[in-house]
Amino acid sequence: MIAGHESGMFDVSDIQDRDDVLVYTSMELDTELRLLGSIKAEIWVSSPTCLFDISLRLSDVDELGRAYNIVDTFHREKVENVNQPFCLETEIGSTSYTLKKGHRLRLDIAASNAPLYDINLNNGTTTKTHTEGKAAVEYIYHGGEKASKLIIPLEK
């Protein structure tokens, strides 16, 4: 929690509409879907710099298209081989949550989660210690041999 910033569950649709956020949305659910336990991701990525940041958020999209955050995470990784794909395995978080029939499940991926975390300046440093940075294009893979995936525990 950060003073002056919302906490709890809120509509994150405006963030997901940004050009620098990658969004994956399921089809409408035919029945209720109960999530129970630790949600994980295996995301294939590559970075042109030695420091890679990724923010992952799972949300519940209602019938009106509003997306409400369920669980999220931020991960910073030192990259050994720049521009080479690698699989990042991370826990997004644990939850006990029911998506209603007609809702959709959404994952959004971003390279930052400011102001909660310092910003990667794409030169091996962050805004915690430096001010000068550069733009970088990072890749998320989602098919073939490098298929990224969510691992979602469902209540039985």
Side-chain angles (χ1 to χ4, degrees):
M1 293 172 47
I2 295 179
H5 293 273
E6 285 186 82
S7 62
M9 193 171 203
F10 52 94
D11 185 358
V12 294
S13 301
D14 58 337
I15 295 168
Q16 296 171 341
D17 286 339
R18 292 172 34 166
D19 289 338
D20 62 342
V21 178
L22 185 58
V23 177
Y24 295 93
T25 307
S26 74
M27 301 296 288
E28 285 186 10
L29 299 174
D30 294 335
T31 61
E32 274 189 352
L33 181 65
R34 293 185 179 152
L35 312 177
L36 182 61
S38 177
I39 298 172
K40 299 176 183 176
E42 294 177 7
I43 308 289
W44 278 90
V45 302
S46 64
S47 175
T49 67
C50 63
L51 199 58
F52 175 80
D53 289 357
I54 191 167
S55 174
L56 303 167
R57 177 183 10 247
L58 201 60
S59 55
D60 176 359
V61 182
D62 69 14
E63 297 91 342
L64 300 175
R66 297 174 300 201
Y68 293 91
N69 57 306
I70 299 171
V71 65
D72 63 58
T73 192
F74 176 82
H75 185 84
R76 178 166 286 151
E77 180 86 13
K78 290 195 183 275
V79 177
E80 292 181 24
N81 299 307
V82 298
N83 294 317
Q84 295 299 312
F86 65 95
C87 185
L88 176 68
E89 296 180 21
T90 189
E91 181 177 334
I92 299 175
S94 294
T95 190
S96 176
Y97 187 84
T98 301
L99 286 105
K100 296 177 183 175
K101 178 182 177 179
H103 284 216
R104 293 172 283 154
L105 189 62
R106 177 173 289 164
L107 174 69
D108 68 71
I109 303 173
S112 174
N113 192 350
L116 294 177
Y117 299 93
D118 54 322
I119 298 168
N120 180 350
L121 296 174
N122 300 315
N123 59 12
T125 66
T126 70
T127 53
K128 189 180 276 185
T129 59
H130 292 79
T131 57
E132 298 296 321
K134 61 182 180 177
V137 176
E138 297 170 335
Y139 291 91
I140 305 294
Y141 301 85
H142 55 257
E145 293 178 10
K146 296 176 184 68
S148 295
K149 63 183 173 181
L150 270 176
I151 302 160
I152 302 173
L154 303 176
E155 182 183 77
K156 296 180 181 183

